[in-house]
Amino acid sequence: MVVENRITEGSILRPLLTFFFPILLGTFFQQLYNTVDAIIVGNFVGKAALAAVGGPTAALINFLVNLFVGLSSGATVIVAQYYGAGRVDEVRRTVHTSVALALAAGVAVMVLGVLLSQPLLAAMGTPTEVMDYAVTYLRIYFLGSIASFLYNIGSSILRAVGDSKRPLYFLIAACLTNIVLDLLFVVVLGLEVFGVALATVLSQVVSAVLVMIVLCHPGSIFFLKWREIRFHGDILKSVVRIGLPTGLQSDMYTLSNILIQACINSFGTNTVAAWTALSKLDAFYWLGSGAMGVALTTFVGQNFGAQKYRRVRRGTWVGAGMLLVITLLCSVVFCVFSHPLLRIFSSDLEVLEIGSRMVWMMAPFYCTFILIEILSATIRGTGDSIKPMLLTCGGVCVLRVVWIFTVLPFHNTLDTLLLSYPITWALTSFLFLIYYRRGNWMRRQIAKYSFPPEEA
């Protein structure tokens, strides 16, 4: 089979845009899942329910789910490199191994999530009036782990071979399903937080079924046969080698955010509700940043596999320019329209005031994160995910934890807590720039894959 590939030839901006916009819209609709949940419970159930479906529950969901999302990025890199090199058999072996991993991890996360929800929420100091709602939401949510993981791995495979449109279509279908079911379960049937969680799980099943139908289509380069799903040791090792550090990096973020959430909880329900509303708004920037990272990782993976090393470096700075434009736009819109945007989630005046102060402490400093996203995506696309993990965990996560235990106790205010974000972003971006310029990472990866070194 001859693999046609326009990502490794011609314009750099065009394939990045071709990847970026469907991924951006896809992550937008994925984020819309939880945003719609927050809007509906905030307006039809109350601020305790709003706090439950956002703050403490989101932190725990992210901790367990992000590990697998990181692993799926390993599959993206491996599939993209094999696809770029035209090695069809290896693409299919990677697909079957990745789906096996999704099934196994989905079962494990489902069991752990259901069993550990209540003790973990209690350990985080979740307010009493929020606890029952939060436990209900988490336990129902984790029952959908298998469907969520199958969609994530399937969409990663499709994007790795250049198909970023169908994952978008599937998410749109799932999101519309979620909105309809949210309204039915909460507004009509009065199921409150239970209804919101159930709607989310059923929507995830829709997206998982759709993506699996595509992967099982005969004649495609990634043709999935259910009877052939198994772990291929060499492929699994490569996926885990690349994906696990990415997942651990995400979990280090989440661990630091859990500590921050515990600090937020200590300021009371109004602050927790405001933090939840901010998180839903703030997430729309991070989905744009993350979409650029996914697009660039796929672009780099295919061009690295095709031995287009200079094109890899040029693509890095094109991606950085694109993300800078997105960052400036989001920062301005969030700051100027903070009150109207937060009012979507709650009309409580104190919640709005606290939330607006949070926006002004965070949004103007998004630009300090750009190099972390772009340079880690480039380096990871060549197959090196350990160094980005170490740089991010050390510069962002560890320093943030140090801040919480050393600076915050002497000035225990919300502003002091939020200041940890821009400080850690700026420092880590500086570390990434040094490593990108001086770390000799490209030549090491070329040597590992036995590719010619001349163009590096």
Side-chain angles (χ1 to χ4, degrees):
M1 179 183 292
V2 176
V3 179
E4 296 182 1
N5 191 355
R6 290 177 291 180
I7 296 170
T8 57
E9 302 290 342
S11 166
I12 291 176
L13 181 61
R14 179 174 296 176
L16 277 177
L17 288 172
T18 301
F19 273 122
F20 171 72
F21 281 111
I23 294 171
L24 174 65
L25 290 173
T27 50
F28 169 81
F29 281 102
Q30 198 163 29
Q31 176 59 33
L32 204 56
Y33 269 67
N34 292 330
T35 303
V36 169
D37 291 348
I39 291 172
I40 289 178
V41 298
N43 286 280
F44 290 95
V45 184
K47 62 185 178 184
L50 172 62
V53 303
T57 58
L60 292 175
I61 287 170
N62 289 338
F63 180 75
L64 289 173
V65 173
N66 283 349
L67 183 61
F68 181 76
V69 173
L71 286 173
S72 69
S73 73
T76 299
V77 171
I78 298 300
V79 171
Q81 289 184 353
Y82 283 144
Y83 184 73
R87 299 167 64 177
V88 177
D89 289 341
E90 283 82 357
V91 169
R92 290 181 176 172
R93 291 174 70 234
T94 305
V95 168
H96 286 84
T97 298
S98 300
V99 172
L101 183 60
L103 293 171
V107 171
V109 168
M110 178 178 66
V111 173
L112 288 173
V114 171
L115 293 178
L116 299 179
S117 293
Q118 186 162 12
L120 289 175
L121 287 168
M124 292 172 63
T126 302
T128 303
E129 62 267 33
V130 175
M131 178 63 81
D132 287 343
Y133 282 134
V135 171
T136 298
Y137 185 82
L138 271 184
R139 286 178 172 167
I140 299 301
Y141 184 96
F142 281 122
L143 290 177
S145 296
I146 295 175
S148 174
F149 287 8
L150 283 175
Y151 169 76
N152 276 292
I153 203 68
S155 61
S156 294
I157 291 165
L158 293 177
R159 289 167 183 152
V161 300
D163 183 358
S164 55
K165 292 182 180 179
R166 281 186 287 190
L168 166 62
Y169 301 151
F170 302 154
L171 269 180
I172 292 174
C175 186
L176 293 176
T177 301
N178 187 55
I179 293 172
V180 171
L181 292 179
D182 269 346
L183 293 172
L184 174 63
F185 293 158
V186 179
V187 180
V188 178
L189 299 180
L191 297 179
E192 298 187 337
V193 169
F194 175 85
V196 165
L198 181 60
T200 298
V201 169
L202 293 176
S203 302
Q204 289 172 339
V205 171
V206 169
S207 61
V209 169
L210 291 173
V211 79
M212 286 299 112
I213 289 173
V214 172
L215 291 184
C216 292
H217 181 70
S220 62
I221 191 172
F222 41 71
F223 182 30
L224 174 68
K225 298 179 181 179
W226 286 97
R227 65 179 180 274
E228 295 182 8
I229 293 175
R230 63 178 59 88
F231 291 115
H232 296 279
D234 58 329
I235 297 293
L236 179 63
K237 182 179 179 181
S238 296
V239 169
V240 172
R241 175 177 55 81
I242 296 172
L244 184 59
T246 305
L248 291 175
Q249 173 182 316
S250 297
D251 274 351
M252 287 297 292
Y253 266 121
T254 305
L255 279 173
S256 65
N257 287 337
I258 286 174
L259 288 174
I260 286 177
Q261 182 66 55
C263 296
I264 292 288
N265 291 344
S266 70
F267 293 112
T269 298
N270 285 329
T271 302
V272 175
W275 182 252
T276 297
L278 169 71
S279 298
K280 301 307 180 187
L281 178 62
D282 186 57
F284 285 99
Y285 169 69
W286 298 115
L287 67 86
S289 176
M292 191 68 251
V294 172
L296 187 58
T297 294
T298 306
F299 175 88
V300 169
Q302 290 201 21
N303 281 278
F304 186 77
Q307 302 171 25
K308 301 293 182 69
Y309 308 126
R310 291 195 182 99
R311 186 173 173 85
V312 166
R313 292 188 181 274
R314 290 199 299 270
T316 299
W317 298 113
V318 173
M322 292 171 61
L323 185 53
L324 176 61
V325 173
I326 295 166
T327 300
L328 294 176
L329 178 63
C330 287
S331 297
V332 171
V333 170
F334 288 177
C335 288
V336 172
F337 300 103
S338 60
H339 265 271
L341 290 171
L342 292 169
R343 193 177 292 275
I344 295 172
F345 304 97
S346 176
S347 58
D348 187 285
L349 293 180
E350 187 171 354
V351 170
L352 290 174
E353 187 61 33
I354 296 171
S356 182
R357 189 164 84 249
M358 289 177 173
V359 169
W360 279 93
M361 286 291 294
M362 302 276 283
F365 302 101
Y366 288 153
C367 59
T368 59
F369 187 83
I370 292 174
L371 289 182
I372 301 175
E373 186 73 70
I374 294 299
L375 300 185
S376 64
T378 296
I379 297 165
R380 191 177 299 116
T382 67
D384 180 4
S385 59
I386 298 241
K387 300 302 189 304
M389 178 197 73
L390 293 175
L391 287 170
T392 302
C393 291
V396 174
C397 306
V398 173
L399 183 58
R400 197 171 290 169
V401 171
V402 170
W403 181 276
I404 290 172
F405 286 107
T406 58
V407 177
L408 188 61
F410 293 99
H411 198 252
N412 190 21
T413 67
L414 182 61
D415 288 355
T416 302
L417 178 63
L418 296 179
L419 190 61
S420 66
Y421 282 87
I423 289 176
T424 54
W425 292 338
L427 176 61
T428 309
S429 287
F430 180 68
L431 295 175
F432 262 103
L433 184 59
I434 293 175
Y435 181 71
Y436 182 84
R437 297 294 298 270
R438 304 292 183 184
N440 206 27
W441 50 275
M442 178 77 84
R443 289 187 179 275
R444 282 199 303 273
Q445 291 306 106
I446 292 171
K448 180 181 295 184
Y449 288 95
S450 300
F451 290 157
E454 296 92 309
E455 294 188 38

